[in-house]
Amino acid sequence: MTGVGSAAPHAKDGHGIGEAALIDRIRARDRRAFEMLYRAWDARLSRFLLNLLRRPHLVEEVRNDTMMVVWNRIGGFNGESRLSTWMFGIAYRQGLAALRKLDEPVDDDRSEARASDAATPEENSRAVRVKLALAEAIEGLSVSHRAVVNLTYYQDFSYREIAEIMDCPIDTVKTRMFHARRHLKQSLPGDLSDWL
């Protein structure tokens, strides 16, 4: 599937406009082009932010803040990375800022001890149980480890791109992934490849 959000630098969106042309139009303050970009990335950014924030009531606000930064700073996007990498970096930083404003600890090392309220009696199929077990295990990760797992497995970013998004060295991303996988392996029965 090609679109504004695809990895191809000259991908066409549903309206026949390449990503580079769309960026140029947004730089020229074309609101329709920005709306196209917004619609193309709305769902993926929302899923990423929901996983990062764990607070559904914040997702829309942070996503909108992210897109406002994109609108206001598109002139600073130099194309050295994919547009998606740049946008997810903004979303990650906006998400961390929103968590800090809540005056709550960003990393909660005691989250493993909390009981999960995710499962309901109706959710008895194996697929739902697997999904819930994985979500619970990921919930036990710190914010930075959760972000690395989400960006790798659910958003398909490379470690290099994740390092750019999270503004840290690539070795830090690898270390975070190592620790996240170790935690998940301890939390989940069987082979980790069965889960991710």
Side-chain angles (χ1 to χ4, degrees), residues 62-184:
V62 174
R63 186 195 62 232
N64 288 341
D65 290 348
T66 297
M67 294 308 290
M68 285 308 299
V69 172
V70 169
W71 173 255
N72 290 324
R73 296 190 183 163
I74 193 74
F77 175 67
N78 57 16
E80 289 181 11
S81 64
R82 292 189 301 167
L83 178 63
S84 59
T85 304
W86 183 70
M87 288 173 51
F88 272 78
I90 294 168
Y92 177 72
R93 288 185 291 282
Q94 291 291 321
L96 291 181
L99 289 174
R100 282 190 293 272
K101 286 180 188 174
L102 291 175
D103 198 28
E104 295 177 10
V106 173
D107 290 334
D108 183 3
D109 295 334
R110 294 177 286 156
S111 63
E112 292 177 24
R114 280 186 262 148
S116 173
D117 60 348
T120 64
E122 301 86 37
E123 298 169 329
N124 58 4
S125 72
R126 183 185 186 289
V128 172
R129 286 193 312 270
V130 166
K131 184 176 179 180
L132 291 174
L134 182 58
E136 185 176 323
I138 290 173
E139 177 83 12
L141 298 172
S142 69
V143 171
S144 59
H145 292 154
R146 208 168 47 248
V148 168
V149 168
N150 184 277
L151 290 167
T152 300
Y153 291 107
Y154 299 107
Q155 304 299 333
D156 294 322
F157 284 106
S158 69
Y159 284 173
R160 181 188 56 76
E161 292 170 319
I162 294 169
E164 189 173 329
I165 288 169
M166 298 179 76
D167 194 25
C168 65
I170 194 167
D171 287 339
T172 301
V173 172
K174 291 176 183 178
T175 300
R176 288 174 179 168
M177 181 57 82
F178 171 81
H179 290 294
R181 283 182 177 148
R182 187 176 67 187
H183 171 81
L184 292 174

